[in-house]
Amino acid sequence: MTRSLLSKTPTRKHFLATLALLAAGLAAPAFAQGDYPNKPVKLVVPFAPGGNTDLIARMLAQGLAEQLGQPVIVENLAGANGSIGASRVAGAPNDGYTLLFGTAGTQAINQSLYRNLGEKNLADYEYVALVTSIPNVLVVNEGRTPVRTVAEFVAAERKRGAGLSYGSPGTGSTVHLSGELFKTATKLDLLHVPYKGSAPALTDLMGGQIDFIFENVTPALPFVQSGKLRALAVTSAERLPALPNVPTMKESGYPDFVTATWNGVLAPKGTAPSILKRLQDATLKVAGSADFKTRVTALGGEVRLMEAAAFRDFTRNEYQHWGAIIKNAGVTVQ
């Protein structure tokens, strides 16, 4: 009987082996997090391929892959001014492997624009870093509207009266809302004509079907540089290197007219601080490089770097800014 009981009693060797197994199990999650990333990272672009957000995301992803030592795959999930892709990221696992390349639309406009938007709270995400700002440019077809300044444009349209139309790549875009801000500032009678993207809107502007667009600089720049469209003003706070002879709206007599879309990296709420720090450092290093700045400038954009805390505060201010424009314009989407 004694021998039988002793044979079932754990020995010191068995006890130490059990402790080692337990320790290994407890250490596994910490090791996995500390080893981040150990598989490909997905960067969701909530718009179709080919736009400025998509182009800049792919430039950033290339650099992030080098910094993180893992592939960074860009996935386009378009729809509802970016809300579909943003919602997908908000509901993704908070392990750092699904990120959002957010914009003014997804983080500061849609919350006021859409009545039934799920992500109403700016705290639905962790903020990693802001990287770029893409202002708009007021462009006209000189054959249809032979003016060279904003003042001439407004004066000509006052004489013309009703019927002035402007295009946009879609309701709720910064392009559309810049037009609404212009309408409020000038008291002109303007008709908004939404398109499915910038390309058809610019095509109709060149064809004389609409009068003007406050287009993002990136898609409008080639047409301005080729002389097919005339740029009257940019909506940035300062003149752009890509259009050094084009004044700002502030210089043109509208001191509060500063609008732009922007791009930043976000993660699902609850992502570990250590992962967020790794992503922030890598993002800022890539976006701060001379090569990245050169490529963004060529697109008509500006590199604008902000760490997580500043990016979060900036987004809150942008939410108030665009919310006021939307309220004044009376724009809502079901």
Side-chain angles (χ1 to χ4, degrees):
M1 178 68 69
T2 302
R3 181 183 294 273
S4 177
L5 286 173
L6 288 174
S7 66
K8 295 180 180 180
T9 301
T11 65
R12 175 180 172 82
K13 182 178 180 180
H14 290 153
F15 179 72
L16 292 175
T18 301
L19 284 179
L21 288 173
L22 287 172
L26 290 172
F31 174 78
Q33 181 172 305
D35 198 39
Y36 172 87
N38 53 31
K39 63 180 182 180
V41 176
K42 181 166 61 179
L43 181 62
V44 173
V45 172
F47 299 98
N52 53 271
T53 296
D54 178 66
L55 293 173
I56 294 171
R58 293 179 187 279
M59 288 160 47
L60 182 68
Q62 181 181 7
L64 284 178
E66 296 173 2
Q67 291 297 315
L68 298 175
Q70 290 288 343
V72 176
I73 302 167
V74 172
E75 179 178 346
N76 297 89
L77 292 173
N81 199 33
S83 293
I84 292 176
S87 296
R88 188 75 60 85
V89 174
N94 54 5
D95 55 7
Y97 290 99
T98 303
L99 307 174
L100 174 66
F101 201 51
T103 68
T106 63
Q107 306 310 124
I109 292 175
N110 292 349
Q111 291 80 358
S112 298
L113 183 70
Y114 289 90
R115 292 180 180 177
N116 301 316
L117 182 68
E119 285 72 44
K120 288 286 187 182
N121 195 334
L122 299 181
D124 286 331
Y125 303 89
E126 302 290 352
Y127 291 75
V128 175
L130 181 71
V131 292
T132 58
S133 176
I134 310 290
N136 299 321
V137 56
L138 172 55
V139 288
V140 299
N141 179 334
E142 195 172 11
R144 177 183 173 96
T145 311
V147 296
R148 292 181 172 272
T149 68
V150 176
E152 289 179 5
F153 179 57
V154 173
E157 297 311 324
R158 288 198 193 286
K159 290 181 180 179
R160 175 178 163 183
L164 186 67
S165 60
Y166 73 96
S168 82
T171 299
S173 62
T174 64
V175 176
H176 167 214
L177 296 177
S178 293
E180 292 295 331
L181 181 59
F182 189 61
K183 180 179 181 179
T184 301
T186 61
K187 310 300 182 187
L188 289 172
D189 183 14
L190 305 180
L191 173 66
H192 173 227
V193 183
Y195 291 81
K196 292 183 178 180
S198 294
L202 288 166
T203 297
D204 269 10
L205 178 61
M206 288 185 288
Q209 279 73 48
I210 54 177
D211 294 288
F212 73 96
I213 303 179
F214 272 98
E215 184 55 88
N216 291 153
V217 172
T218 302
L221 189 60
F223 300 102
V224 174
Q225 292 174 330
S226 66
K228 293 180 179 178
L229 294 175
R230 175 172 290 280
L232 301 184
V234 292
T235 65
S236 48
E238 305 292 338
R239 293 195 183 196
L240 298 176
L243 295 170
N245 297 321
V246 179
T248 66
M249 286 295 291
K250 293 172 65 176
E251 291 177 290
S252 302
Y254 299 89
D256 298 324
F257 206 118
V258 178
T259 63
T261 189
W262 40 261
N263 303 116
V265 179
L266 301 101
K269 184 68 177 178
T271 302
S274 60
I275 292 177
L276 294 174
K277 182 65 166 59
R278 179 78 191 279
L279 288 170
Q280 174 190 270
D281 293 348
T283 300
L284 293 177
K285 185 171 183 178
V286 173
S289 69
D291 177 65
F292 188 85
K293 290 180 179 179
T294 299
R295 294 168 73 184
V296 169
T297 300
L299 293 174
E302 304 171 295
V303 171
R304 189 174 185 183
L305 304 182
M306 287 187 189
E307 294 184 350
F311 182 22
R312 187 181 299 110
D313 292 342
F314 168 77
T315 302
R316 290 194 186 102
N317 292 334
E318 282 284 281
Y319 170 73
Q320 298 294 333
H321 171 69
W322 289 111
I325 294 174
I326 290 168
K327 183 178 179 180
N328 290 335
V331 180
T332 56
V333 179
Q334 295 291 341

